Amino acid sequence: MTPTEKIWHNGKFIDWNEARIHVLSHVVSYGSSVFEGLRCYETKNGPAIFRLREHTRRLLDSAKIYRIPVEFTLEQLMEAQVQLVKLNGLKSCYVRPIILRGYGGVGVLPVNNPTEIFLACWEWGKYLGDEALAAGVDVCISSWNRIAPNTLPALAKAGANYMNSQLIRMEAHHNGYAEGIALDSEGRISEGSGENIFVVRDGKIHTPPLGSSVLPGITRDSVVTLARDLGLELVETVIPREMLYVADEVFFTGTAAEVTPVRSIDRIEVGTGRRGPVTEKLQKAFFALVEGEAADKYGWLTPVK
Ligand code: PPE
């Protein structure tokens, strides 16, 4: 990663190297952070942040679930992200807002731990490799399950959830796969360590519902909307593991992963072992929109001016 110039902290822009916290901050021992990841795309009308409002809303929702007080409004945080990208002079980048419990009281109960908010950005290329978007990735089912209901809330994008994601991703990596797919605590398909998942069979698209321990992905929502626009049949439904092995197409969605085809699962080829027609259609629609080639009919792009 190449550092950029400025990071936003509690309302002020500070130098990249000054964005520090004390080692005894609550977040370090107890994982008490919530965060976001957004992409800013280069369009012909200049840089534009994709679904800024929805990401910022999810950030505040995550903080609310964890009772983390936030003194900034949705609008203020949106504006700060636009200013951040502008100030750092990037055409396209990844934006990472982080809200954490800081330095003060010790012990699990967060008393006297001030909320610290940081907004950073940097240039970030293709998440699952340069070839992934066209060729697809080889993945496995993880031996780790996704976080169960009543353990850690899956609707919150909390730092602590990513201990589970790390186990999934590391296991996949060490066994030679690009990514792992986790089942939920009932053994149904949940999601990748950092992506939602879609399964296509006979032209019908399936994706697990929010009750299957998935993050309410904003790319997921975008793809659901685009699929319906294209007249494709799509259902949110509980999906058994073996559906993956007999699918015609499988793909991941995520801010970092965008729309990435899956070409094999547990060394079983998905369909013909290459990107399928439904995945390609949705990828095209997605990139046309984020890159400003197609009309932004839902107002998903916030220009950085
Ligand atoms: N599930 C998980 C567990 C997840 O982390 C992400 C995003 C998604 C689904 C997709 O959500 P959305 O980005 O709103 O479409 N993962 C982020 C983290 C990547 C990272 O390594 O850090 C991302 O894609 O930005």
Side-chain angles (χ1 to χ4, degrees), residues 35-39 50 54-55 58 94-96 122 124 127 146-147 154 156-157 161-162 164-165 168-169 179 190-197 213-222 252-258 286:
F35 70 103
E36 271 304 318
L38 305 82
R39 272 192 196 267
F50 184 61
E54 292 80 1
H55 278 282
R58 189 173 65 187
Y94 188 81
V95 182
R96 168 59 50 83
W122 62 86
W124 208 8
Y127 190 58
R146 199 77 187 118
I147 44 182
K157 190 170 170 73
N161 293 2
Y162 288 80
N164 174 256
S165 285
I168 295 163
R169 186 72 188 258
E179 181 55 292
S190 179
E191 61 180 347
S193 77
E195 308 86 6
N196 291 112
I197 193 167
S213 296
V214 303
L215 184 75
I218 288 157
T219 321
R220 172 185 183 275
D221 178 74
S222 308
F252 284 136
T253 65
T255 300
E258 298 170 307
F286 176 81

Side-chain angles (χ1 to χ4, degrees), residues 268-288:
I268 299 175
E269 235 174 43
V270 176
T272 57
R274 47 173 54 193
R275 174 173 63 192
V278 174
T279 308
E280 194 171 352
K281 236 187 236 172
L282 287 166
Q283 259 187 343
K284 279 206 175 119
F286 176 81
F287 284 108

Side-chain angles (χ1 to χ4, degrees), residues 3-77:
T4 55
E5 213 175 307
K6 297 286 180 191
I7 287 179
W8 184 96
H9 174 228
N10 293 353
K12 292 197 181 79
F13 286 101
I14 58 174
D15 288 343
W16 178 276
N17 287 325
E18 299 305 315
R20 300 197 185 104
I21 56 166
H22 194 280
V23 69
L24 289 180
S25 297
H26 194 272
V27 61
V28 177
S29 293
Y30 307 118
S32 39
S33 70
V34 295
F35 70 103
E36 271 304 318
L38 305 82
R39 272 192 196 267
C40 174
Y41 286 94
E42 183 174 1
T43 77
K44 27 177 209 292
N45 305 315
I49 304 177
F50 184 61
R51 305 203 71 176
L52 175 60
R53 178 171 293 273
E54 292 80 1
H55 278 282
T56 311
R57 180 169 180 228
R58 189 173 65 187
L59 179 71
L60 292 176
D61 286 349
S62 300
K64 188 172 186 189
I65 290 168
Y66 277 100
R67 304 172 190 268
I68 301 177
V70 177
E71 282 178 6
F72 293 89
T73 64
L74 181 82
E75 269 72 25
Q76 286 171 326
L77 292 173

